[in-house]
Amino acid sequence: MCGRFTLTADWGLVREWFFIEMAEQMERIAPRYNVGPGQDVLAVIAHEGKRRAGWLRWGLKPSWTGADGKAPAPLMNARAESLASRPTFKTLLARRRCLVPADGFYEWKKAADGKKQPMRVVLTDRPLFSFAALYDTYVAEDGTRHHSCVIVTTEPNRTMSAIHDRMPAILRREDETLWLDRSVSAPDRLLPLLRPYDDAAMRAYPVSAAVGNVRWDAPACIEEVAPPEPPPTLGTLL
């Protein structure tokens, strides 16, 4: 799954890296070291042939939400294997795809002592990458528009399988244009883009357990810490 991520890069680099041509009120974006569900996240969509950046709430609130505003709990992740079959995602896959820029993400690995150790995962072949995501807009009775998104997950590669049984669908740089192309809607062209990322280009390292508190958003979040000591074996006790 994907429950937390980081985007610490300078806005100028983000804009250049993702070829963003349209962006409003984006000049003072602060580095984010612990982005969590329920927060607004930077997203990139295709708009009239250009790439446009804006904010989406992480946690999908579908357009078919009832008039009373009630719907199932917001969805933070969607399985790639079911995008073309689940009614909630089928139309979005065809029409409403976006990129969610990041430079790392967190996942919790079960340690030998039974505790969970947060790990930050980064790519070694590029400074920025994007999660494949879907978005939708719910319009309330008063006309207020609620824009939200869900991040797609896929099967883990070898690096991630030692940590979790799912991983975010990270798009290869050469696949981002196709994912955003609004003229493409066929699942057989889109779903192959959601394969596990090359594990040889990924690195996972332990970070502070304080990352578990989503209110903690500071540079120390991404600092590597010493891995926990394994519990003593019978032989070391004798």
Side-chain angles (χ1 to χ4, degrees), residues 209-227:
V211 166
N213 181 356
V214 73
R215 292 176 295 179
W216 187 47
D217 187 354
C221 289
I222 64 174
E223 293 179 0
E224 185 169 1
V225 300

PDB file of all heavy atoms in Angstrom, residues 209-227:
ATOM      1  N   ALA A 209      10.871   6.252  14.306  1.00  0.00           N
ATOM      2  CA  ALA A 209       9.506   5.788  14.549  1.00  0.00           C
ATOM      3  C   ALA A 209       8.544   6.955  14.706  1.00  0.00           C
ATOM      4  O   ALA A 209       7.331   6.790  14.550  1.00  0.00           O
ATOM      5  CB  ALA A 209       9.468   4.916  15.804  1.00  0.00           C
ATOM      6  N   ALA A 210       9.068   8.144  14.954  1.00  0.00           N
ATOM      7  CA  ALA A 210       8.222   9.320  15.110  1.00  0.00           C
ATOM      8  C   ALA A 210       7.500   9.682  13.818  1.00  0.00           C
ATOM      9  O   ALA A 210       6.536  10.448  13.833  1.00  0.00           O
ATOM     10  CB  ALA A 210       9.048  10.511  15.590  1.00  0.00           C
ATOM     11  N   VAL A 211       7.935   9.117  12.695  1.00  0.00           N
ATOM     12  CA  VAL A 211       7.261   9.342  11.419  1.00  0.00           C
ATOM     13  C   VAL A 211       5.808   8.862  11.504  1.00  0.00           C
ATOM     14  O   VAL A 211       4.942   9.334  10.766  1.00  0.00           O
ATOM     15  CB  VAL A 211       8.014   8.616  10.283  1.00  0.00           C
ATOM     16  CG1 VAL A 211       7.177   8.536   9.013  1.00  0.00           C
ATOM     17  CG2 VAL A 211       9.320   9.343   9.982  1.00  0.00           C
ATOM     18  N   GLY A 212       5.534   7.955  12.421  1.00  0.00           N
ATOM     19  CA  GLY A 212       4.174   7.460  12.593  1.00  0.00           C
ATOM     20  C   GLY A 212       3.189   8.541  12.995  1.00  0.00           C
ATOM     21  O   GLY A 212       1.977   8.381  12.819  1.00  0.00           O
ATOM     22  N   ASN A 213       3.684   9.643  13.520  1.00  0.00           N
ATOM     23  CA  ASN A 213       2.836  10.780  13.868  1.00  0.00           C
ATOM     24  C   ASN A 213       2.772  11.708  12.660  1.00  0.00           C
ATOM     25  O   ASN A 213       3.735  12.406  12.356  1.00  0.00           O
ATOM     26  CB  ASN A 213       3.402  11.514  15.075  1.00  0.00           C
ATOM     27  CG  ASN A 213       2.544  12.702  15.493  1.00  0.00           C
ATOM     28  OD1 ASN A 213       1.560  13.045  14.847  1.00  0.00           O
ATOM     29  ND2 ASN A 213       2.931  13.344  16.574  1.00  0.00           N
ATOM     30  N   VAL A 214       1.634  11.722  11.952  1.00  0.00           N
ATOM     31  CA  VAL A 214       1.530  12.484  10.710  1.00  0.00           C
ATOM     32  C   VAL A 214       1.688  13.981  10.936  1.00  0.00           C
ATOM     33  O   VAL A 214       1.977  14.734   9.997  1.00  0.00           O
ATOM     34  CB  VAL A 214       0.184  12.175  10.018  1.00  0.00           C
ATOM     35  CG1 VAL A 214      -0.968  12.842  10.763  1.00  0.00           C
ATOM     36  CG2 VAL A 214       0.210  12.580   8.552  1.00  0.00           C
ATOM     37  N   ARG A 215       1.535  14.443  12.181  1.00  0.00           N
ATOM     38  CA  ARG A 215       1.712  15.865  12.469  1.00  0.00           C
ATOM     39  C   ARG A 215       3.182  16.260  12.519  1.00  0.00           C
ATOM     40  O   ARG A 215       3.503  17.458  12.519  1.00  0.00           O
ATOM     41  CB  ARG A 215       1.033  16.210  13.793  1.00  0.00           C
ATOM     42  CG  ARG A 215      -0.492  16.123  13.740  1.00  0.00           C
ATOM     43  CD  ARG A 215      -1.126  16.379  15.084  1.00  0.00           C
ATOM     44  NE  ARG A 215      -0.776  15.332  16.045  1.00  0.00           N
ATOM     45  CZ  ARG A 215      -1.169  15.310  17.313  1.00  0.00           C
ATOM     46  NH1 ARG A 215      -1.919  16.287  17.791  1.00  0.00           N
ATOM     47  NH2 ARG A 215      -0.816  14.319  18.106  1.00  0.00           N
ATOM     48  N   TRP A 216       4.074  15.274  12.570  1.00  0.00           N
ATOM     49  CA  TRP A 216       5.509  15.561  12.572  1.00  0.00           C
ATOM     50  C   TRP A 216       5.981  15.679  11.130  1.00  0.00           C
ATOM     51  O   TRP A 216       5.994  14.703  10.392  1.00  0.00           O
ATOM     52  CB  TRP A 216       6.280  14.458  13.300  1.00  0.00           C
ATOM     53  CG  TRP A 216       7.740  14.783  13.484  1.00  0.00           C
ATOM     54  CD1 TRP A 216       8.270  15.960  13.936  1.00  0.00           C
ATOM     55  CD2 TRP A 216       8.853  13.928  13.221  1.00  0.00           C
ATOM     56  NE1 TRP A 216       9.648  15.881  13.984  1.00  0.00           N
ATOM     57  CE2 TRP A 216      10.030  14.649  13.549  1.00  0.00           C
ATOM     58  CE3 TRP A 216       8.976  12.622  12.754  1.00  0.00           C
ATOM     59  CZ2 TRP A 216      11.298  14.110  13.412  1.00  0.00           C
ATOM     60  CZ3 TRP A 216      10.247  12.072  12.617  1.00  0.00           C
ATOM     61  CH2 TRP A 216      11.395  12.812  12.945  1.00  0.00           C
ATOM     62  N   ASP A 217       6.324  16.864  10.709  1.00  0.00           N
ATOM     63  CA  ASP A 217       6.725  17.127   9.334  1.00  0.00           C
ATOM     64  C   ASP A 217       7.965  18.002   9.369  1.00  0.00           C
ATOM     65  O   ASP A 217       7.882  19.229   9.403  1.00  0.00           O
ATOM     66  CB  ASP A 217       5.573  17.814   8.585  1.00  0.00           C
ATOM     67  CG  ASP A 217       5.844  17.975   7.098  1.00  0.00           C
ATOM     68  OD1 ASP A 217       6.962  17.654   6.654  1.00  0.00           O
ATOM     69  OD2 ASP A 217       4.942  18.439   6.380  1.00  0.00           O
ATOM     70  N   ALA A 218       9.137  17.348   9.400  1.00  0.00           N
ATOM     71  CA  ALA A 218      10.395  18.067   9.558  1.00  0.00           C
ATOM     72  C   ALA A 218      11.501  17.300   8.838  1.00  0.00           C
ATOM     73  O   ALA A 218      11.353  16.105   8.547  1.00  0.00           O
ATOM     74  CB  ALA A 218      10.732  18.203  11.041  1.00  0.00           C
ATOM     75  N   PRO A 219      12.617  17.953   8.528  1.00  0.00           N
ATOM     76  CA  PRO A 219      13.714  17.273   7.830  1.00  0.00           C
ATOM     77  C   PRO A 219      14.186  16.001   8.523  1.00  0.00           C
ATOM     78  O   PRO A 219      14.648  15.065   7.859  1.00  0.00           O
ATOM     79  CB  PRO A 219      14.823  18.339   7.808  1.00  0.00           C
ATOM     80  CG  PRO A 219      14.081  19.634   7.813  1.00  0.00           C
ATOM     81  CD  PRO A 219      12.892  19.400   8.700  1.00  0.00           C
ATOM     82  N   ALA A 220      14.057  15.943   9.849  1.00  0.00           N
ATOM     83  CA  ALA A 220      14.505  14.751  10.573  1.00  0.00           C
ATOM     84  C   ALA A 220      13.711  13.510  10.186  1.00  0.00           C
ATOM     85  O   ALA A 220      14.164  12.385  10.416  1.00  0.00           O
ATOM     86  CB  ALA A 220      14.402  14.992  12.077  1.00  0.00           C
ATOM     87  N   CYS A 221      12.531  13.699   9.595  1.00  0.00           N
ATOM     88  CA  CYS A 221      11.717  12.551   9.170  1.00  0.00           C
ATOM     89  C   CYS A 221      12.470  11.650   8.196  1.00  0.00           C
ATOM     90  O   CYS A 221      12.285  10.431   8.205  1.00  0.00           O
ATOM     91  CB  CYS A 221      10.430  13.027   8.501  1.00  0.00           C
ATOM     92  SG  CYS A 221       9.204  13.778   9.576  1.00  0.00           S
ATOM     93  N   ILE A 222      13.287  12.241   7.339  1.00  0.00           N
ATOM     94  CA  ILE A 222      13.918  11.457   6.271  1.00  0.00           C
ATOM     95  C   ILE A 222      15.351  11.045   6.614  1.00  0.00           C
ATOM     96  O   ILE A 222      16.036  10.434   5.786  1.00  0.00           O
ATOM     97  CB  ILE A 222      13.895  12.220   4.945  1.00  0.00           C
ATOM     98  CG1 ILE A 222      14.729  13.496   5.016  1.00  0.00           C
ATOM     99  CG2 ILE A 222      12.460  12.553   4.538  1.00  0.00           C
ATOM    100  CD1 ILE A 222      14.860  14.225   3.679  1.00  0.00           C
ATOM    101  N   GLU A 223      15.806  11.364   7.826  1.00  0.00           N
ATOM    102  CA  GLU A 223      17.164  10.997   8.212  1.00  0.00           C
ATOM    103  C   GLU A 223      17.251   9.507   8.539  1.00  0.00           C
ATOM    104  O   GLU A 223      16.394   8.961   9.235  1.00  0.00           O
ATOM    105  CB  GLU A 223      17.608  11.819   9.417  1.00  0.00           C
ATOM    106  CG  GLU A 223      17.774  13.300   9.110  1.00  0.00           C
ATOM    107  CD  GLU A 223      18.196  14.098  10.330  1.00  0.00           C
ATOM    108  OE1 GLU A 223      18.349  13.477  11.417  1.00  0.00           O
ATOM    109  OE2 GLU A 223      18.347  15.323  10.210  1.00  0.00           O
ATOM    110  N   GLU A 224      18.285   8.875   8.040  1.00  0.00           N
ATOM    111  CA  GLU A 224      18.482   7.445   8.300  1.00  0.00           C
ATOM    112  C   GLU A 224      18.886   7.230   9.759  1.00  0.00           C
ATOM    113  O   GLU A 224      19.683   8.000  10.311  1.00  0.00           O
ATOM    114  CB  GLU A 224      19.544   6.880   7.371  1.00  0.00           C
ATOM    115  CG  GLU A 224      19.721   5.374   7.484  1.00  0.00           C
ATOM    116  CD  GLU A 224      20.580   4.789   6.386  1.00  0.00           C
ATOM    117  OE1 GLU A 224      21.070   5.560   5.526  1.00  0.00           O
ATOM    118  OE2 GLU A 224      20.758   3.552   6.357  1.00  0.00           O
ATOM    119  N   VAL A 225      18.323   6.206  10.365  1.00  0.00           N
ATOM    120  CA  VAL A 225      18.675   5.843  11.740  1.00  0.00           C
ATOM    121  C   VAL A 225      19.237   4.430  11.741  1.00  0.00           C
ATOM    122  O   VAL A 225      19.106   3.687  10.765  1.00  0.00           O
ATOM    123  CB  VAL A 225      17.441   5.925  12.678  1.00  0.00           C
ATOM    124  CG1 VAL A 225      16.869   7.330  12.690  1.00  0.00           C
ATOM    125  CG2 VAL A 225      16.386   4.907  12.273  1.00  0.00           C
ATOM    126  N   ALA A 226      19.883   4.074  12.855  1.00  0.00           N
ATOM    127  CA  ALA A 226      20.423   2.724  12.971  1.00  0.00           C
ATOM    128  C   ALA A 226      19.276   1.724  13.048  1.00  0.00           C
ATOM    129  O   ALA A 226      18.285   1.964  13.747  1.00  0.00           O
ATOM    130  CB  ALA A 226      21.300   2.620  14.215  1.00  0.00           C
ATOM    131  N   PRO A 227      19.376   0.610  12.331  1.00  0.00           N
ATOM    132  CA  PRO A 227      18.315  -0.398  12.417  1.00  0.00           C
ATOM    133  C   PRO A 227      18.251  -0.976  13.816  1.00  0.00           C
ATOM    134  O   PRO A 227      19.256  -1.001  14.546  1.00  0.00           O
ATOM    135  CB  PRO A 227      18.747  -1.447  11.388  1.00  0.00           C
ATOM    136  CG  PRO A 227      20.228  -1.269  11.254  1.00  0.00           C
ATOM    137  CD  PRO A 227      20.466   0.207  11.444  1.00  0.00           C
TER     138      PRO A 227
END
